[in-house]
């Protein structure tokens, strides 16, 4: 058992590109669910539209990289509006159904054989990140003993964490403003807000668009970090991982989704590495008639799920949440 | 003061749907059906400006539904109605409020996880800081926020909620929530304020001060329409009473006229003709008050 390797791979994952992607997606969900009470179960769809908006623009239509980024963000705005217009006047569950269905439809379209010419089919699209990679100012990777990143990763980390920091700053500014107060009020009772002369629909739409754009940014970072993107990168568990990250960190807290994403990937990678070591080799720690190495790769999901349940029971507000806000019954 | 207000309605006949000298709200043929039940079926309705009008009627008479229809929270099957002479048909609830017609809810809608002062600030209209593009930049809205806060603090003091300023609204008692909801709706600066059972579940001590507050609304020039069960209270503060039963307006008049009206007694009491209407209400009221005290005891 090499605990040093386990720890350093977990740490690298907690600070790595995947954590950034999920931090951005969870920041978006925090605006939707944490602050406004909107149930978006299709954040993967927003991420996919961001990622494919960029890659299709650059690869399929040969547009400049910057234009591709703008198209990607615009596409997430359009998706939010298309989803919001028919559902945001209805009960909360309609949005949930519409978003999860749309995300699945998008995933299937992006991965389909029939649309291979545009979206690249099951292989997806590649090579669009070249202009981004060429901007890399670093001469070499980073190695500080316990963790090390390649040169390319270091660049995406710099840009990605800067984006996360800017996102948090924006959320902090917005949520201390009267605009944020309206969102938090809508979460509690939208009729009360309506009775005070606020256009609840417009605020929900703004929240849906803003959170969707952050989801799209997450998708773009994912696309850039892999320099390849395909439909199957955006299955529904992407959305649920992002929700898990949000709940671990604490909803309706500025840093909740960020810390949550880091903890989530620390645990996922750490537990995964532990069980993979424990079941591999000639004389594994856990005998193979108890657990094989294929089973071991799934145990982390069981344990993270169990952890989430315990968290919801004993600390429902998440790590950063405010107990007081949650303790009051809404009679 | 009350004498003045009564005189606004002097000479108005006590017939259902009667025209008023200066109506702030006018409606005709307003109906709303739920399945087979016609919850509201009002032929004609006028609310006089500058007075307190009570809307009474037994449970299920359609008072809350009428409130919902007038304020855009529900859509009637038929009917047209106007506020200050402009039609409110198909006007969404938030625009109705902006035009100066603000309602409260029978089941109080305070925002429990916001503090009392934040509840109040939310009520202010035309806030620059509520626009997305200016929200992140505090200097653009802080002066307006300060002015709103000052107005909110004055209202909190008037409604004796200033000690609770920083508490979460969810920690208030039922009566304090009613007060907060009323104070918050005043932040909108409404011309017409519609209160749906403002005294329900309020303990007797608070009730007196609530009554005073309702009167003070009229005295500062607002029009008040409120739903209430307690006949003493209705008699005490209202200038005009409209009685609903089974969706229809069955009687109108001054409190004294209405309480001696046979149609009203029938609507309220059905078969028990010989019970005095005010007595009945007092006993049920006491029971309700006791229940509230009990609840507060258990909630600690
Ligand atoms: N959303 C609804 N769906 C079905 N029936 C309703 C609905 N709202 C009210 N009702 C019915 O309409 C009638 C009038 O209700 P309501 O306006 O609440 O009466 P009140 O406020 O005078 O006690 C009642 O019989 C009630 O059950
Ligand atoms: Mg009612």
């Amino acid at each position: 058992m090499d605990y040093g390797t386990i720890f350093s791979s977990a740490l690298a994952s907690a600070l790595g590109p995947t954590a950034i992607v999920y931090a951005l997606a969870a920041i978006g969900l925090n605006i939707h669910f944490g602050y406004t009470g909107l149930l978006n179960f299709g954040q993967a769809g927003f991420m996919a539209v961001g990622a494919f908006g960029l890659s299709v623009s650059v690869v399929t239509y040969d547009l400049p990289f910057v234009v591709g980024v703008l198209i990607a963000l615009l596409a997430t705005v359009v998706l939010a509006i298309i989803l919001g217009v028919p559902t945001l006047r209805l009960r909360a569950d309609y949005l949930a159904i519409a978003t999860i269905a749309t995300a699945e439809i998008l995933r299937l379209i992006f991965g389909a054989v029939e649309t291979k010419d545009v979206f690249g089919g099951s292989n997806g699209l590649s090579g669009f990140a070249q202009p981004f990679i060429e901007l890399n100012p670093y001469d070499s990777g980073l190695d500080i003993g316990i963790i090390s990143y390649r040169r390319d990763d270091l660049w995406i980390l710099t840009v990605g964490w800067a984006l996360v920091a800017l996102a948090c700053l924006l959320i902090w500014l917005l949520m201390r403003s009267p605009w944020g107060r309206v969102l938090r009020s809508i979460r509690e009772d939208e009729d009360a807000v309506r009775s005070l002369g606020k256009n609840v629909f417009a605020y929900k739409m703004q929240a849906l668009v803003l959170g969707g754009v952050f989801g799209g940014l997450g998708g773009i970072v994912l696309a850039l970090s892999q320099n390849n993107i395909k439909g199957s990168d955006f299955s529904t568990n992407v959305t649920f991982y992002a929700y898990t990250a949000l709940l671990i960190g604490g909803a309706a807290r500025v840093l909740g989704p960020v810390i949550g994403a880091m903890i989530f990937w620390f645990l996922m990678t750490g537990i995964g590495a532990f069980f993979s070591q424990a079941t591999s080799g000639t004389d594994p720690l856990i005998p193979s008639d108890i657990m094989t190495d294929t089973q071991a790769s799934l145990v982390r999901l069981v344990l993270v799920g169990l952890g989430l349940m315990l968290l919801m029971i004993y600390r429902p507000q998440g790590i950063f949440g405010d107990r007081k806000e949650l303790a009051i019954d809404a009679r | 003061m009350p004498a003045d207000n009564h005189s606004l309605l002097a000479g108005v006949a006590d017939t259902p749907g009667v025209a008023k000298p200066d109506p702030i709200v006018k409606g005709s043929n307003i109906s709303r059906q739920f399945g087979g039940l016609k919850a509201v079926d009002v032929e004609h309705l006028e609310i006089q400006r500058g007075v307190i009008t009570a809307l009474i009627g037994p449970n299920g008479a359609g008072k809350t539904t009428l409130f919902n229809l007038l304020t855009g929270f529900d859509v009637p099957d038929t009917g047209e109605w106007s506020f200050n002479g402009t039609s409110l048909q198909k006007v969404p609830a938030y625009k109705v409020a902006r035009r100066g017609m603000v309602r409260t809810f029978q089941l109080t809608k305070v925002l429990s996880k916001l503090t009392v002062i934040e509840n109040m600030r939310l009520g202010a209209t035309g806030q620059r800081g509520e626009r997305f593009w200016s929200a992140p930049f505090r200097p653009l809205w802080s002066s307006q926020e300060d002015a709103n806060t000052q107005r909110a603090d004055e209202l909190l003091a008037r409604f004796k909620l200033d000690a609770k300023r920083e508490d979460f609204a969810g920690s208030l008692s039922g009566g304090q929530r009613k007060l907060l909801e009323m104070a918050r709706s005043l932040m909108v600066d409404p011309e017409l304020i519609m209160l749906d059972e403002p005294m329900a579940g309020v303990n007797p001590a608070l009730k007196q001060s609530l009554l005073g507050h309702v009167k003070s609304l009229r005295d500062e020039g607002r029009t008040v329409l409120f739903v209430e069960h307690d006949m003493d209270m209705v008699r005490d503060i209202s200038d005009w009473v409209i009685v609903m039963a089974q969706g229809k307006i069955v009687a109108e008049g001054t409190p004294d006229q209405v309480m001696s009206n046979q149609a009203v007694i029938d609507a309220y009491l059905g078969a028990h003709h010989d019970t005095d209407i005010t007595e009945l209400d007092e006993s049920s009221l006491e029971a309700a008050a006791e229940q509230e005290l009990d609840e507060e005891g258990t909630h600690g």
Side-chain angles (χ1 to χ4, degrees):
Chain A
M1 213 25 107
D2 181 357
Y3 290 102
T5 331
I6 293 175
F7 180 74
S8 64
S9 65
L11 193 62
S13 173
L15 300 172
T18 320
I20 296 173
V21 171
Y22 280 85
L24 287 168
I27 285 172
L29 289 179
N30 198 24
I31 300 167
H32 292 154
F33 173 72
Y35 290 106
T36 321
L38 299 175
L39 279 176
N40 169 15
F41 283 142
Q43 191 69 328
F46 285 96
M47 297 165 78
V49 164
F52 276 97
L54 170 65
S55 54
V56 168
S57 305
V58 173
V59 178
T60 314
Y61 295 103
D62 239 355
L63 294 167
F65 179 81
V66 178
V67 177
V69 172
L70 291 178
I71 288 177
L73 295 178
L74 200 66
T76 58
V77 172
V78 172
L79 176 65
I81 292 172
I82 291 173
L83 283 168
V85 165
T87 58
L88 288 181
R89 288 181 211 276
L90 307 173
R91 259 189 359 238
D93 31 351
Y94 287 90
L95 179 68
I97 296 164
T99 47
I100 196 167
T102 305
E104 280 297 275
I105 292 167
L106 287 172
R107 177 176 71 84
L108 293 171
I109 290 175
F110 289 150
V113 186
E114 292 80 358
T115 57
K116 198 170 188 300
D117 295 343
V118 184
F119 303 115
S122 56
N123 292 326
L125 298 170
S126 314
F128 49 85
Q130 214 48 47
F132 174 79
I133 293 167
E134 278 162 15
L135 286 176
N136 191 341
Y138 297 111
D139 298 325
S140 60
L142 177 76
D143 189 349
I144 51 164
I146 185 151
I147 41 172
S148 63
Y149 291 107
R150 290 178 301 118
R151 179 172 170 264
D152 285 353
D153 280 344
L154 200 55
W155 176 221
I156 191 92
L157 290 183
T158 311
V159 174
W161 285 118
L163 272 176
V164 170
L166 284 176
C168 288
L169 178 67
L170 179 67
I171 303 297
W172 178 72
L173 287 172
L174 281 172
M175 292 309 161
R176 65 169 192 168
S177 79
W179 186 83
R181 181 165 65 215
V182 177
L183 292 199
R184 280 180 286 132
S185 307
I186 290 174
R187 178 186 68 193
E188 287 201 48
D189 194 327
E190 54 178 85
D191 274 346
V193 180
R194 240 177 231 123
S195 78
L196 297 171
K198 321 282 177 205
N199 186 349
V200 169
F201 176 78
Y203 283 102
K204 284 188 184 175
M205 187 61 95
Q206 288 167 13
L208 189 64
V209 168
L210 184 64
V213 166
F214 282 118
L217 272 178
I220 291 173
V221 172
L222 178 67
L224 292 180
S225 70
Q226 299 179 160
N227 201 2
N228 164 270
I229 208 74
K230 50 192 180 303
S232 58
D233 288 335
F234 300 101
S235 58
T236 34
N237 48 10
V238 172
T239 301
F240 292 115
Y241 285 0
Y243 262 109
T244 308
L246 175 62
L247 295 175
I248 290 174
R253 282 287 170 274
V254 172
L255 292 178
V258 180
I259 306 294
M262 294 167 85
I263 294 174
F264 178 79
W265 284 107
F266 184 90
L267 292 176
M268 283 290 271
T269 308
I271 297 170
F274 173 83
F275 279 101
S276 122
Q277 279 197 24
T279 52
S280 64
T282 43
D283 181 23
L285 187 70
I286 304 173
S288 59
D289 42 339
I290 294 178
M291 193 190 289
T292 64
D293 48 0
T294 33
Q295 288 166 331
S297 64
L298 298 172
V299 172
R300 60 183 190 158
L301 290 176
V302 176
L303 290 180
V304 170
L306 188 69
L308 185 64
M309 273 196 267
L310 292 174
L311 185 76
M312 287 299 101
I313 294 168
Y314 294 106
R315 204 177 157 81
Q317 72 274 37
I319 289 169
F320 273 81
D322 184 345
R323 182 111 226 183
K324 249 194 312 189
E325 265 201 33
L326 228 110
I328 299 156
D329 68 24
R331 62 171 170 163
Chain B
M1 213 56 180
D4 281 343
N5 294 294
H6 281 301
S7 67
L8 286 173
L9 285 159
V12 176
D14 59 337
T15 48
V18 66
K20 309 291 184 313
D22 182 15
I24 189 166
V25 171
K26 251 173 126 163
S28 325
N29 296 317
I30 303 173
S31 72
R32 176 71 165 102
Q33 192 137 358
F34 293 118
L37 173 86
K38 211 153 202 182
V40 167
D41 186 11
V42 169
E43 233 168 75
H44 193 78
L45 166 78
E46 291 192 10
I47 311 289
Q48 167 68 24
R49 187 190 311 277
V51 302
I52 299 178
T53 304
L55 180 62
I56 66 169
N59 266 330
K63 306 177 296 289
T64 298
T65 308
L66 181 62
F67 262 42
N68 291 343
L69 296 175
L70 291 177
T71 51
F73 279 85
D74 194 2
V75 184
D77 303 322
T78 68
E80 48 186 28
W81 69 107
S82 62
F83 176 69
N84 272 334
T86 42
S87 170
L88 284 185
Q89 258 170 295
K90 301 206 172 120
V91 176
Y94 78 92
K95 284 191 181 161
V96 173
R98 283 186 194 174
R99 289 191 190 179
M101 180 169 167
V102 174
R103 58 89 58 92
T104 65
F105 296 87
Q106 182 170 352
L107 298 170
T108 329
K109 289 188 186 294
V110 298
L111 305 159
S112 320
K113 291 171 191 174
L114 266 61
T115 60
V116 167
I117 186 72
E118 283 282 81
N119 264 273
M120 293 296 288
R121 288 189 187 117
L122 178 72
T125 49
Q127 297 191 42
R128 287 192 290 274
E130 287 182 354
R131 286 190 230 126
F132 179 77
W133 296 109
S134 49
F137 309 106
R138 187 171 209 150
L140 293 181
W141 47 262
S142 62
S143 62
Q144 197 187 24
E145 181 87 342
D146 292 344
N148 288 336
T149 304
Q150 198 188 340
R151 202 153 64 83
D153 278 326
E154 283 162 18
L155 280 167
L156 286 181
R158 173 173 155 194
F159 284 79
K160 307 238 166 21
L161 284 170
D162 40 348
K164 302 276 178 187
R165 189 179 193 271
E166 303 299 334
D167 292 4
F168 284 110
S171 69
L172 300 182
S173 76
Q176 290 169 329
R177 286 174 193 220
K178 289 272 178 197
L179 280 173
L180 175 58
E181 205 186 5
M182 199 186 291
R184 189 180 64 189
S185 65
L186 288 178
M187 287 295 290
V188 188
D189 196 15
E191 248 184 281
L192 169 64
I193 180 162
M194 300 170 58
L195 308 167
D196 198 348
E197 305 209 9
M199 324 281 177
V202 177
N203 72 49
L206 253 179
K207 231 169 222 181
Q208 272 313 316
S209 78
L210 248 167
L211 271 183
H213 291 310
V214 174
K215 279 193 211 170
S216 72
L217 296 178
R218 174 190 60 195
D219 297 343
E220 63 188 33
R222 300 181 207 276
T223 308
V224 181
L225 175 66
F226 78 113
V227 172
E228 186 46 57
H229 283 302
D230 183 338
M231 290 303 157
D232 280 339
M233 218 139 274
V234 169
R235 201 199 310 266
D236 193 6
I237 66 168
S238 52
D239 304 303
W240 194 257
V241 182
I242 298 176
V243 188
M244 279 183 83
Q246 293 169 354
K248 295 187 195 311
I249 296 181
V250 295
E252 270 194 54
T254 62
D256 291 336
Q257 285 169 336
V258 159
M259 271 163 216
S260 55
N261 184 319
Q262 193 57 42
V264 178
I265 298 173
D266 287 346
Y268 260 88
L269 301 169
H272 311 285
H273 275 261
D274 42 16
T275 327
D276 178 13
I277 185 166
T278 51
E279 260 174 33
L280 182 96
D281 241 288
E282 245 160 49
S283 55
S284 69
L285 189 112
E286 269 162 26
E290 264 165 36
Q291 194 191 341
E292 157 138 9
L293 289 177
D294 284 350
E295 268 176 30
E296 272 176 24
T298 50
H299 279 283

